[in-house]
């Protein structure tokens, strides 16, 4: 009888629109099983399709999957300013945000600041509904995706509500000093030289900044991106690490490396 009443109550709540996603805890969300057989995953034990995959979001610390990734992780541990340059799929953003979460949870920093330019890639954001935050949300979505790979959605929202995690477009960074923070500037190839200069000089005390981008995949007009010029100048600065990842460091599907080799 009690089970029947529960079902009736649930049906009534559904009809009245009382059930919302926010009422469910992340641990209770039903996840459909996914068959990975025949697919490729960099997390497989043998690096191939037949290995057993492991979800890195449940690992306390991530492990490099290539020599370039190992170099990048070592540079982040040793330097306060790191520039990670390389093609899509080399794990630049994922490693940077994973290191940021690691530093926050270890108490080495008090907040994470993530920023990326809201540059249109052939589309216009003017048609999107809502206010400015709503229009910018799709451009910041990749940062949310990387965060939720390392944190649950509930944990991420709690940290954002506390101000421990902040995600903002580049235009909102001017005039700030970022102390005790782990700062990640993503998609920096879509920043001009002056924008990068402004962002880099936000670095404050007890902070680490990682700038990621692919100079060969800019959405700006030719000659406007400042990432390659800034990285070339920083090569001569011993206290700044410039890590250049290559096609061999790509950990997405192997076809990504093959495509980039001919495109």
């Amino acid at each position: 009888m009690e089970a029947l009443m529960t079902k009736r109550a649930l049906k009534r709540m559904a009809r009245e629109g009382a059930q919302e996603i926010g009422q469910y805890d992340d641990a209770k969300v039903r996840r459909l099983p996914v068959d990975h057989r025949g697919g490729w995953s960099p997390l497989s034990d043998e690096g191939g399709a037949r290995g057993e995959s492991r979800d890195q979001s449940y690992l306390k610390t991530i492990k490099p999957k290539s020599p370039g990734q190992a170099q990048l992780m070592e540079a982040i541990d040793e330097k306060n300013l790191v520039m990670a340059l390389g093609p899509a799929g080399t794990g630049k953003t994922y490693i940077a945000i994973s290191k940021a979460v690691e530093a926050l949870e270890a108490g080495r920093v008090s907040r994470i600041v993530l920023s990326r330019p809201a540059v249109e890639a052939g589309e216009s954001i003017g048609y999107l509904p809502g206010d400015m935050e709503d229009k910018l949300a799709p451009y910041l979505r990749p940062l949310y995706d990387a965060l939720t790979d390392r944190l649950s959605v509930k944990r991420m929202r709690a940290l954002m509500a506390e101000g421990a995690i902040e995600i903002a477009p580049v235009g909102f960074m001017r005039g700030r000093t970022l102390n005790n923070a782990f700062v990640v500037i993503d998609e920096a190839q879509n920043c001009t030289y002056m924008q990068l200069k402004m962002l880099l000089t936000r670095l404050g005390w007890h902070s680490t900044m990682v700038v990621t981008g692919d100079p060969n995949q800019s959405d700006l007009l030719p000659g406007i991106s400042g990432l390659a010029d800034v990285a070339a100048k920083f090569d001569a600065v011993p206290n700044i690490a410039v890590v250049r990842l290559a096609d061999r460091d790509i950990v997405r599907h192997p076809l990504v490396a093959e495509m980039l080799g001919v495109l």
Side-chain angles (χ1 to χ4, degrees):
M1 183 66 178
E2 182 180 352
L4 183 60
M5 291 298 295
T6 302
K7 289 182 179 179
R8 288 178 178 175
L10 288 173
K11 288 181 180 179
R12 184 174 64 254
M13 291 172 66
R15 286 196 304 268
E16 295 174 355
Q19 290 183 338
E20 296 180 359
I21 295 177
Q23 292 177 298
Y24 294 96
D25 187 86
D26 291 336
K28 299 179 181 178
V29 175
R30 179 172 177 265
R31 300 186 183 277
L32 297 175
V34 179
D35 186 0
H36 293 287
R37 289 175 297 178
W40 181 89
S41 169
L43 305 182
S44 59
D45 294 336
E46 300 176 359
R50 297 185 178 180
E52 182 179 354
S53 296
R54 296 180 300 164
D55 187 352
Q56 289 217 53
S57 63
Y58 295 100
L59 302 180
K60 187 174 182 180
T61 56
I62 61 172
K63 296 180 180 179
K65 299 296 178 182
S66 69
Q69 288 192 352
Q71 182 185 359
L72 175 58
M73 294 175 68
E74 182 179 354
I76 294 174
D77 290 336
E78 296 178 353
K79 304 290 185 179
N80 293 110
L81 178 57
V82 178
M83 301 197 72
L85 280 62
T90 51
K92 306 181 297 298
T93 301
Y94 187 85
I95 289 175
I97 291 182
S98 296
K99 283 291 187 180
V101 171
E102 182 182 315
L104 180 66
E105 294 186 332
R108 295 194 298 270
V109 297
S110 60
R111 58 178 169 158
I112 297 173
V113 180
L114 309 176
S115 182
R116 76 194 314 251
V119 176
E120 300 171 0
E123 305 89 1
S124 175
I125 64 174
Y127 70 93
L128 294 174
D131 55 18
M132 181 178 61
E133 291 186 0
D134 295 326
K135 293 179 184 294
L136 291 173
Y139 292 88
L140 303 178
R141 183 74 243 178
L143 299 180
Y144 289 102
D145 292 341
L147 277 173
T148 53
D149 275 348
R150 304 303 300 167
L151 299 165
S152 68
V153 175
K154 184 176 181 180
R155 173 69 171 156
M156 181 189 71
R157 288 176 178 172
L159 290 172
M160 292 183 70
E162 296 169 5
I165 295 180
E166 177 187 352
I167 301 179
V170 166
F172 285 48
M173 302 293 286
R174 186 175 296 279
R176 304 182 61 183
T177 300
L178 303 174
N179 296 321
N180 300 308
F182 197 111
V183 187
V184 178
I185 309 299
D186 190 36
E187 296 290 323
Q189 75 273 7
N190 289 330
C191 293
T192 65
Y193 184 92
M194 293 307 297
Q195 283 177 324
L196 281 173
K197 183 177 180 180
M198 179 272 292
L199 290 168
L200 293 166
T201 53
R202 302 305 97 201
L203 188 65
W205 292 101
H206 308 296
S207 292
T208 297
M209 179 180 288
V210 181
V211 181
T212 70
D214 179 5
N216 297 321
Q217 215 174 28
S218 176
D219 295 316
L220 302 177
L221 294 174
I224 295 181
S225 175
L227 181 60
D229 292 338
V230 170
K233 292 184 178 181
F234 282 170
D235 278 327
V237 182
N239 290 325
I240 299 176
V242 180
V243 179
R244 290 180 170 84
L245 302 170
D247 291 353
R248 64 178 179 274
D249 299 306
I250 293 176
V251 293
R252 286 182 185 164
H253 198 285
L255 283 176
V256 174
E258 294 183 31
M259 286 188 290
L260 291 176
V262 298
L263 291 176

